Amino acid sequence: MKRKTAVITGATSGIGREFALAFARKGYRLVLTGRREKRLKELADSLQVPCRVWTADLSVEEECHDFLARLSNIRVDVFINNAGFGVCGSFTDTELSKEISLIDVNVRAMHILFKGMLQKMEKQGHGTILNVGSAAGLLPAGPHMAAYYASKSYVVSLTRAVARELKEIKSPIYVAVLCPGPVDTEFNARANVVFAMKGISAGYCVREAFRGMKKRQTVIIPSPIVRIGTLGQRLLPSSALIPLISAQQRRKIQGK
């Protein structure tokens, strides 16, 4: 039987790496991308399936288009749109260059790759796209991590809208957004935070993502505590919820 192909961005560590391991166990052929070539090659060498490694800096728009062009002759069954990072601190103090880079990766690159892969899969007649968002994208705002929360709100809103459009035309393409809370990955160090609540492992996050995809959920929340919190926040007006989020974010900074 012909192998299926999964493409994973941000595959060098954390959730992306765990997705690579999981798809390899399922026998998928893999295409992995990220900025750190050595790590990608080490990961590919450890897998017992055909694996292509393409380095790319997705904060550069041209490299997003180049990546899609390289995939043009490959039948992609699953696309994990995972690349992203966070910046923590007061909006007046955080570096503008870092925030612009965050927007370039979390929003622009995600959007370009999502649209390009969806158009490709429509021509194929099948496919699955999982955009990796965050529980932050389900909340009204995130003081002290403002740009990150805003970027993930974009991911959640866009995915939900596109999922509805596909449902209306009875498309065979399935799209979803993964919205984890804290996950124990290198994200924490890069964002310069210590999470106020215990994070789940990247492996657990990916297992729950597969469970949600099997159920064809549009929004997949892998942590039970975060699921409860997300339901509970609907009972609070934004005027009460945002100060609570702000207090939690300040604890992250202080914990660092």
Side-chain angles (χ1 to χ4, degrees), residues 160-218:
R160 280 174 159 164
V162 174
R164 179 60 200 178
E165 291 179 10
L166 295 175
K167 183 176 181 179
E168 288 176 356
I169 62 172
K170 296 181 173 56
S171 171
I173 314 303
Y174 165 56
V175 302
V177 59
L178 177 63
C179 293
V183 182
D184 294 328
T185 68
E186 293 179 6
F187 173 96
N188 308 5
R190 187 172 185 187
N192 197 35
V193 299
V194 171
F195 286 119
M197 61 184 289
K198 182 175 175 56
I200 61 175
S201 70
Y204 177 83
C205 180
V206 168
R207 289 192 297 274
E208 289 297 299
F210 276 106
R211 187 172 287 113
M213 286 190 286
K214 186 175 182 179
K215 294 179 180 178
R216 309 287 280 189
Q217 295 174 344
T218 298

Side-chain angles (χ1 to χ4, degrees), residues 3 24-25 27-28 30 43-51:
R3 290 180 188 267
R25 288 192 292 268
Y28 277 66
L30 299 177
L43 174 58
D45 290 343
S46 72
L47 303 175
Q48 304 300 311
V49 295
C51 187

Side-chain angles (χ1 to χ4, degrees), residues 4-8 23 28-32 76-79:
K4 292 183 177 181
T5 300
V7 178
I8 305 166
F23 278 112
Y28 277 66
R29 177 185 292 108
L30 299 177
V31 177
L32 308 178
V76 178
D77 298 282
V78 183
F79 182 70

Side-chain angles (χ1 to χ4, degrees), residues 96-148:
L96 177 61
S97 60
K98 287 185 178 179
E99 290 175 329
I100 296 302
S101 183
L102 178 152
I103 293 167
D104 287 342
V105 176
N106 293 12
V107 177
R108 187 176 64 184
M110 183 281 307
H111 185 115
I112 292 170
L113 298 179
F114 184 25
K115 191 178 189 75
M117 290 306 305
L118 179 57
Q119 292 172 335
K120 175 182 177 64
M121 289 179 177
E122 284 180 328
K123 292 177 181 178
Q124 292 179 175
H126 85 286
T128 291
I129 300 173
L130 181 68
N131 293 324
V132 178
S134 169
L138 302 172
L139 297 169
H144 307 288
M145 215 169 176
Y148 176 75

